[in-house]
């Protein structure tokens, strides 16, 4: 039986209108380097300081510590501004899917490449509470672990926080290649969703256990997974 669902935030459970892409690209461009769509996509889902460092270098710049720190602060400023103008919303069916799974005894957690302050702002705006009586059982951000995606640490940390011992009983869900790689590195069931920028063909190029239209399909996927295991 699956005991834990660990989902990414932006593009997976939350529609933030791709503003994280826009904020990251614009913040890095302000350093004077170019940002290609391919490089931007490669680093989506990663911890944002790591992404900024890589994008500056890929654009031909020198990712010095002070520049990275300033660019990260600028990224946050832009992102909060964009969110204020166009508030993020839950993707269709996500809350309902989480409620169904919670009634089945499954723990619900979020992992994100955002820092804690950005994640908290998002959750407060949506009214999603963490803990007893809330929609979520745990949330881990990239600045709370040794390394962000594709490292497996955020998935393992939410296992720790929810008391789940067996990684084979964890489904990790995301809309980027980094999400799938983190799930695979963690040893979890790796599920991609098509609510982000990437299409099915893009995600299927990478190790995965399933590609779904969205998180809303998780209850049905889990039912099929359970049936398959019984038959096996």
């Amino acid at each position: 039986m699956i005991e834990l669902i660990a989902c990414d935030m932006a593009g997976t459970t939350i529609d933030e209108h791709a503003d994280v892409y826009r904020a990251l690209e614009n913040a890095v461009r302000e350093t004077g380097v170019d940002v290609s769509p391919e490089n931007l996509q490669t680093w989506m889902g990663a911890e944002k300081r790591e992404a900024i460092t890589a994008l500056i270098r890929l654009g031909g710049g020198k990712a010095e510590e002070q520049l990275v720190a300033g660019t990260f602060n600028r990224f946050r400023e832009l992102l909060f501004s964009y969110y204020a103008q166009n508030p993020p919303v839950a993707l269709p069916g996500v809350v309902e899917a989480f409620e169904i799974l919670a009634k089945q005894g499954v723990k619900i957690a979020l992992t994100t490449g955002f820092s804690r302050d950005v994640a908290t702002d998002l959750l407060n705006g949506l009214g999603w509470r963490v803990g007893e009586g809330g929609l979520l059982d745990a949330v881990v951000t990239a600045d709370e672990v040794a390394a962000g995606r594709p490292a497996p640490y955020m998935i393992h940390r939410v296992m720790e926080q929810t008391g789940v011992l067996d990684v084979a009983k964890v489904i990790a869900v995301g809309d980027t290649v980094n999400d799938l790689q983190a799930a695979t590195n963690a040893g979890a069931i790796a599920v991609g969703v098509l609510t982000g920028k990437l299409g099915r063909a893009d995600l299927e190029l990478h190790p995965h256990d399933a590609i779904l239209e969205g998180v809303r399909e998780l209850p049905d996927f889990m039912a099929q997974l359970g049936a398959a295991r019984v038959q096996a």
Side-chain angles (χ1 to χ4, degrees):
M1 175 183 171
I2 298 301
E3 297 181 0
L4 171 65
I5 302 289
C7 290
D8 172 52
M9 291 180 68
T12 299
T13 55
I14 299 170
D15 181 3
E16 43 84 72
H17 321 294
D19 281 337
V20 64
Y21 285 80
R22 187 158 63 106
L24 187 58
E25 178 178 5
N26 290 342
V28 174
R29 283 188 183 278
E30 287 181 7
T31 69
V33 304
D34 188 36
V35 181
S36 73
E38 295 78 16
N39 288 338
L40 185 63
Q41 182 58 59
T42 296
W43 284 92
M44 289 311 299
E47 194 275 326
K48 296 304 176 281
R49 291 179 184 84
E50 293 177 7
I52 287 166
T53 300
L55 290 170
I56 290 174
R57 287 173 177 164
L58 288 166
K62 293 184 178 180
E64 298 174 347
E65 183 177 350
Q66 186 174 358
L67 178 62
V68 171
T71 305
F72 176 71
N73 288 334
R74 180 58 176 156
F75 159 75
R76 290 170 62 254
E77 290 174 359
L78 289 171
L79 190 63
F80 283 127
S81 173
Y82 297 158
Y83 284 176
Q85 296 168 23
N86 194 14
V89 296
L91 280 161
V94 166
V95 172
E96 293 81 358
F98 283 174
E99 290 174 342
I100 290 170
L101 295 171
K103 288 178 181 178
Q104 297 173 3
V106 179
K107 300 291 186 181
I108 308 296
L110 298 182
T111 63
T112 178
F114 290 139
S115 53
R116 173 56 66 174
D117 59 338
V118 175
T120 298
D121 188 73
L122 272 172
L123 295 174
N124 288 342
L126 292 165
W128 291 4
R129 293 190 298 110
V130 183
E132 186 175 355
L135 182 68
L136 307 169
D137 294 290
V139 175
V140 170
T141 62
D143 58 342
E144 297 171 339
V145 292
R149 303 183 188 110
Y153 307 135
M154 287 195 290
I155 295 170
H156 292 159
R157 181 65 60 84
V158 293
M159 289 178 63
E160 177 185 356
Q161 292 184 356
T162 56
V164 174
L165 303 178
D166 186 354
V167 75
K169 296 180 179 179
V170 178
I171 296 177
V173 188
D175 64 298
T176 70
V177 172
N178 274 319
D179 292 320
L180 290 178
Q181 290 176 336
T184 301
N185 290 338
I189 297 169
V191 174
V193 290
L194 303 177
T195 44
K197 289 278 190 178
L198 296 181
R200 184 177 297 275
D202 299 309
L203 293 175
E204 285 180 343
L205 291 173
H206 305 274
H208 65 279
D209 295 290
I211 306 295
L212 306 179
E213 291 296 323
V215 168
R216 65 183 182 275
E217 294 187 348
L218 277 175
D220 288 340
F221 171 71
M222 281 185 52
Q224 295 168 6
L225 189 65
R229 288 181 174 180
V230 169
Q231 291 175 1

